[in-house]
Amino acid sequence: MPTPPADRTAHRTPRPSRRGVLAAMAAVLPVAGVPVLSSRASAAPAAAQPPAAAAPSAAAALPGGGDLGPNVLVFDPSTPNIQGKLDEIFKQQESAQFGTARYALLFKPGTYNGLNAQLGFYTSIAGLGLSPDDTTINGDVTVDAGRFNGNATQNFWRSAENLALAPVNGTNRWAVAQAAPFRRMHVKGGLNLSPDGYGWASGGYIADSRIDGPVGPYSQQQWYTRDSSVGGWRNAVWNMVFSGVEGAPGQTFPDPPYTALDTTPISREKPFLYLAGGDFRVFLPEKRVNARGTTWGNGTPRGASLPLSQFYVAKPGTDAATLNAALAQGLNLLLTPGIYHVDRPIEVQRANTVVLGLGYATIVPDNGVTAMKVADVDGARLAGFLIDAGPVNSATLLEVGPNGASADHAANPTTVQDVFVRIGGAGPGKATTSMVINSNHTIIDHTWVWRADHGDGVGWETNRADYGIRVNGADVLATGLFVEHFNKYDVEWRGERGRTVFFQNEKAYDAPNQAAVQNGNTKGFAAYKIADTVTTHEGWGLGSYCYYNVDPTIRQDHGFEAPNKPGVKFHDLLVVSLGGKGQYEHVINDVGAPTSGTSTVPSTVTSYP
């Protein structure tokens, strides 16, 4: 979620906005002293990769492997003045919300003492072992909100992965907002998800992690935790969702608002870089069905391993023609930190291709092209990059499968993980539909698709973007779906047997009047729309919020719209009017009480129909 509700935030001059309404909640929000409500890998797996496509002639061949460039910093325990380098990068990135620098901070296996890695924008920190416990920091990996006066709602675009932490005071602080995954982490203590002083915070994502102590979300409005283990969970505000989490609180929505699934229906963890001896490799975790707990707690993780020589290591400025030549040659892509302008789509045509970004590598489509297109193939893995719309409208930004894709990928689905989309904010951007999923069985595992509400190039028509995500494929699963501020539908689901575990949404703030969001006879476009033709769909833990600050009189008929059919089911829905800036008439279709007044109290539906 972007800013709290008040005035919008000027580029690089943040002021309180959307989360101003949280002040009204302070009297009822549990903070300090909240009671807890619930109770080594070593050998590298053998390489496994389907045969590559035929390579071009030797003269035309692009090399695999190579160095990772200047913005990937690799530390080992003997590196001098690690803290100084961490502080230097944080100082540069702390306020660079729409800057161009990108960094990946990688730590070789071993033990590091006395570090506090503060993370700013576009900064990723990760260990290089096969298990998080191979790389231990006796210290902290910290995200706080000092630059924004205790408001953590804009702490986007940073990540932590594959490390063990022993926090100095027993609790690590991770006060993030959207696009800030905490993956494959072992915290030997507690985890505090709020900024210092328990200021505004707006929700995030944890996966494949073990937190030995309790997790304290405090002011976090919503959160999704998947396939992990926690030593308790201290409180909830609006919407806390768990799937496959050992130690999670039980199902109690809406009071307290916990949604708990014992397992995650299907999951396959994000690919990650690691060291085998002195050589970089990429590990590809295997698919799990009805998963619970971490993948790494009992010996060598299960999956395949690829040498870096099977990747084209791209550097900022590499053009689309070169990237496509590498893909056609049979190489995977490793996008090192930086900006990549493309004048044609990056074409992923081969089954099991990996496109892995480091340090929020960012793809900008020029002249209205689509940034990336994936063929209707098995097992593509897209992970760890940002697509930033250009000033010329793109019909789409990411397409998984062509129109009419029909192949069965149940055994080996394509995964889209930590792939983020932005329209505006860093400058004018436009895209009709950001992400289109046509391939069956695709897994969308943590995405933030954001039409910017602050920064540069922001306005109802300036960064026009009608649709966030459109799903046409069948049997598509979304785990951790964050989609915000689109001019029309944020999510439009047309495929059969879709499932979503956790959805977070805000409607566009900047609608000029009721007419601008009128959808035929319906007031407002739903945040999450299921097509009338769909007969089977299910969702758990979905929330939509409105903050119509330009015209607070705007009414939204509902946050969710779906055909009234026995196979279309929803669990634990909520809508919220932030400070009374606009109101919802219902939660889903004509079901659920309207929001009213300025009290920012959710209206909920526990089960639909």
Side-chain angles (χ1 to χ4, degrees):
M1 314 186 106
T3 21
D7 298 330
R8 299 313 322 129
T9 305
H11 180 37
R12 291 192 176 87
T13 311
R15 304 191 306 270
S17 47
R18 178 168 67 77
R19 225 59 88 219
V21 299
L22 285 185
M25 299 164 52
V28 296
L29 177 65
V31 181
V34 178
V36 177
L37 296 178
S38 67
S39 51
R40 176 163 155 122
S42 53
Q49 174 81 335
S57 66
L62 292 163
D67 74 89
L68 301 181
N71 284 12
V72 176
L73 284 70
V74 180
F75 303 101
D76 66 45
S78 66
T79 302
N81 196 22
I82 296 174
Q83 187 65 56
K85 178 56 69 173
L86 296 176
D87 291 345
E88 175 188 334
I89 293 172
F90 176 67
K91 183 178 180 180
Q92 176 185 323
Q93 297 301 106
E94 181 183 13
S95 299
Q97 182 170 171
F98 298 109
T100 58
R102 307 282 188 269
Y103 290 96
L105 312 175
L106 306 182
F107 286 74
K108 293 181 179 181
T111 300
Y112 300 78
N113 293 314
L115 296 183
N116 180 18
Q118 299 183 81
L119 299 188
F121 289 100
Y122 313 109
T123 305
S124 297
I125 189 170
L128 288 170
L130 258 182
S131 164
D133 288 334
D134 293 342
T135 309
T136 296
I137 293 177
N138 290 317
D140 297 79
V141 171
T142 301
V143 178
D144 206 343
R147 68 141 195 138
F148 203 5
N149 300 318
N151 174 3
T153 60
Q154 292 182 27
N155 283 349
F156 314 139
W157 304 308
R158 62 201 76 194
S159 66
E161 185 172 355
N162 205 30
L163 290 165
L165 306 177
V168 169
N169 71 354
T171 300
N172 190 76
R173 186 182 302 279
W174 184 253
V176 297
Q178 286 67 32
F182 195 80
R183 286 186 181 269
R184 202 178 171 77
M185 295 287 288
H186 182 191
V187 181
K188 299 177 179 181
L191 188 63
N192 183 346
L193 303 179
S194 72
D196 186 32
Y198 305 102
W200 297 316
S202 70
Y205 172 94
I206 293 171
D208 200 24
S209 293
R210 176 181 169 185
I211 295 93
D212 293 344
V215 178
Y218 302 115
S219 55
Q220 287 284 359
Q221 294 167 327
Q222 71 288 307
W223 197 276
Y224 176 49
T225 307
R226 178 181 64 71
D227 298 352
S228 294
S229 172
V230 299
W233 197 272
R234 289 197 180 275
N235 72 292
V237 178
W238 290 339
N239 190 29
M240 299 283 149
V241 179
F242 308 86
S243 66
V245 179
E246 298 167 346
Q251 172 70 34
T252 54
F253 187 93
D255 186 21
Y258 292 129
T259 298
L261 286 71
D262 286 343
T263 61
T264 303
I266 304 168
S267 61
R268 189 173 69 188
E269 299 303 331
K270 175 178 172 284
F272 62 91
L273 196 67
Y274 75 105
L275 279 171
D279 297 326
F280 284 113
R281 299 181 70 90
V282 173
F283 191 79
L284 309 178
E286 71 175 12
K287 187 185 80 170
R288 296 198 292 169
V289 176
N290 295 324
R292 183 172 174 85
T294 68
T295 63
W296 48 267
N298 297 300
T300 303
R302 298 175 64 87
S305 175
L306 301 179
L308 202 61
S309 61
Q310 292 187 23
F311 286 79
Y312 179 71
V313 180
K315 306 294 170 50
T318 304
D319 61 17
T322 303
L323 298 173
N324 285 334
L327 290 167
Q329 187 177 306
L331 292 171
N332 303 290
L333 295 182
L334 186 71
L335 304 175
T336 62
I339 311 295
Y340 298 77
H341 281 265
V342 295
D343 61 357
R344 67 200 72 176
I346 299 170
E347 300 275 3
V348 178
Q349 299 283 349
R350 179 173 47 88
N352 301 299
T353 299
V354 180
V355 180
L356 177 61
L358 301 179
Y360 289 82
T362 301
I363 303 168
V364 181
D366 293 333
N367 302 318
V369 303
T370 297
M372 185 177 294
K373 294 184 177 182
V374 183
D376 193 23
V377 295
D378 272 357
R381 302 187 193 222
L382 314 180
F385 56 88
L386 170 65
I387 298 174
D388 200 357
V392 178
N393 185 73
S394 294
T396 59
L397 294 173
L398 173 63
E399 295 180 15
V400 178
N403 289 334
S406 59
D408 187 316
H409 304 295
N412 187 12
T414 285
T415 47
V416 181
Q417 300 178 284
D418 299 348
V419 173
F420 308 117
V421 175
R422 179 173 67 196
I423 302 98
K430 293 185 178 182
T432 303
T433 307
S434 291
M435 188 182 295
V436 179
I437 307 296
N438 292 316
S439 287
N440 298 332
H441 303 99
T442 299
I443 299 171
I444 308 167
D445 176 44
H446 189 227
T447 187
W448 185 40
V449 181
W450 185 54
R451 175 182 168 264
D453 62 289
H454 63 273
D456 291 337
V458 171
W460 185 248
E461 297 295 343
T462 305
N463 63 329
R464 182 84 192 189
D466 283 351
Y467 307 104
I469 294 180
R470 179 175 291 152
V471 178
N472 297 318
D475 301 287
V476 172
L477 171 66
T479 52
L481 196 59
F482 299 74
V483 189
E484 297 189 307
H485 302 156
F486 286 84
N487 296 76
K488 293 184 178 179
Y489 294 124
D490 297 274
V491 172
E492 188 179 13
W493 208 296
R494 300 173 176 178
E496 285 287 357
R497 297 178 301 281
R499 291 176 290 183
T500 295
V501 183
F502 184 87
F503 171 67
Q504 179 267 313
N505 165 263
E506 286 181 338
K507 296 303 299 173
Y509 297 172
D510 55 346
N513 49 50
Q514 186 75 50
V517 295
Q518 193 70 17
N519 182 15
N521 294 324
T522 302
K523 290 179 285 188
F525 288 81
Y528 191 101
K529 159 73 173 176
I530 306 299
D532 293 342
T533 56
V534 170
T535 61
T536 305
H537 187 92
E538 195 160 10
W540 297 262
L542 287 71
S544 177
Y545 325 132
C546 73
Y547 181 69
Y548 289 115
N549 63 336
V550 175
D551 181 0
T553 69
I554 290 175
R555 310 291 293 193
Q556 181 89 19
D557 268 348
H558 40 238
F560 303 90
E561 183 178 340
N564 188 11
K565 298 176 182 177
V568 178
K569 303 175 183 178
F570 288 93
H571 315 274
D572 302 354
L573 301 174
L574 67 97
V575 296
V576 181
S577 168
L578 301 175
K581 305 292 188 181
Q583 300 288 349
Y584 292 91
E585 307 284 14
H586 300 286
V587 179
I588 179 168
N589 296 344
D590 58 357
V591 175
T595 58
S596 63
T598 61
S599 59
T600 314
V601 174
S603 179
T604 62
V605 168
T606 303
S607 181
Y608 179 89

